[in-house]
Amino acid sequence: MPKTCLHPSSRLARSRAGLSFLILGLLASSLAVASPAMDPQMSYISDSVAVTGAVENPLTLSVADLERFPPQQIGEVEMICDTGVNIGKKENLRGVLLRDILEQAKLKALTPRDFRKMAVIAKATDDYVAIFSWGEIFDSEVGDHVIVYFRKDGAPLGVEEGQIALISTTDKRTGPRHVRWLNAIEVRQLVK
């Protein structure tokens, strides 16, 4: 008998096992749909954002801490993905400037020229990353429009964005630098 052939009783046992796995899989997926507590996005929610790296004052900021910064309002911003497709709008958002957070953390460098060699990395709990240069944040109009936000229509953000998110509202393609579930901002000197 060739090695690829199975005995009829082995095929029956294998098909029963496959059917059992299929039933278990369907049962598990129906339970996940039926229970909102099992929403996979719930595991990504962050209740604070840590500011670390090349800063004099490392910070861990909750939504309540962010509320103490000068507020920024976003009326409406089109969400354009990296392919250029419009995927909707973000409206009525409240947050703070990323620059204001970085100024409180106080960036540190050996010389003033070293600031130009820095990157600001916004990270999410799902490992998504968006990167800004020091020049964008502190020496261009882009910095006036990079917002860490935590409210929509006056209410806390939903699970689809977590409690804290970030967006660069004047990018031509706003999607790539939209960080849901923001939990870390790292300042890194790229060149020594």
Side-chain angles (χ1 to χ4, degrees):
M1 179 189 300
K3 290 182 179 179
T4 57
C5 294
L6 293 174
H7 189 275
S9 63
S10 297
R11 279 186 277 174
L12 179 61
R14 195 176 252 181
S15 68
R16 283 184 182 157
L19 182 59
S20 296
F21 284 121
L22 176 64
I23 291 169
L24 285 173
L26 290 172
L27 180 60
S29 66
S30 68
L31 287 174
V33 170
S35 173
M38 296 183 73
D39 182 348
Q41 290 181 338
M42 293 293 287
S43 65
Y44 293 128
I45 293 178
S46 171
D47 60 1
S48 64
V49 59
V51 183
T52 61
V55 295
E56 291 182 21
N57 306 315
L59 304 169
T60 300
L61 302 168
S62 66
V63 172
D65 297 324
L66 293 169
E67 292 270 13
R68 294 186 194 105
F69 284 85
Q72 298 292 313
Q73 294 293 131
I74 301 171
E76 181 179 296
V77 61
E78 297 288 332
M79 295 302 298
I80 310 296
C81 71
D82 55 353
T83 62
V85 174
N86 186 322
I87 55 174
K89 294 179 193 175
K90 295 280 178 201
E91 297 177 289
N92 303 319
L93 303 176
R94 182 170 186 256
V96 301
L97 289 176
L98 174 60
R99 183 176 54 224
D100 288 346
I101 293 171
L102 295 172
E103 285 177 345
Q104 184 171 343
K106 198 162 178 157
L107 279 69
K108 69 178 177 185
L110 294 175
T111 70
R113 287 184 178 200
D114 287 337
F115 288 113
R116 291 181 272 174
K117 302 172 188 174
M118 288 184 167
V120 177
I121 305 161
K123 300 177 183 179
T125 57
D126 68 345
D127 296 326
Y128 190 83
V129 171
I131 300 173
F132 300 88
S133 69
W134 174 88
E136 284 181 292
I137 301 298
F138 290 96
D139 202 23
S140 79
E141 283 195 36
V142 171
D144 296 335
H145 303 282
V146 180
I147 309 294
V148 174
Y149 65 97
F150 43 86
R151 297 223 179 276
K152 180 179 179 175
D153 295 323
L157 296 181
V159 274
E160 69 279 355
E161 290 195 276
Q163 292 185 13
I164 305 168
L166 175 143
I167 192 166
S168 180
T169 64
T170 56
D171 286 359
K172 288 181 180 180
R173 295 179 183 201
T174 51
R177 293 204 291 189
H178 172 228
V179 182
R180 303 178 300 167
W181 311 304
L182 180 70
N183 74 329
I185 298 167
E186 180 188 355
V187 180
R188 193 181 298 175
Q189 187 164 342
L190 300 177
V191 181
K192 293 186 180 192

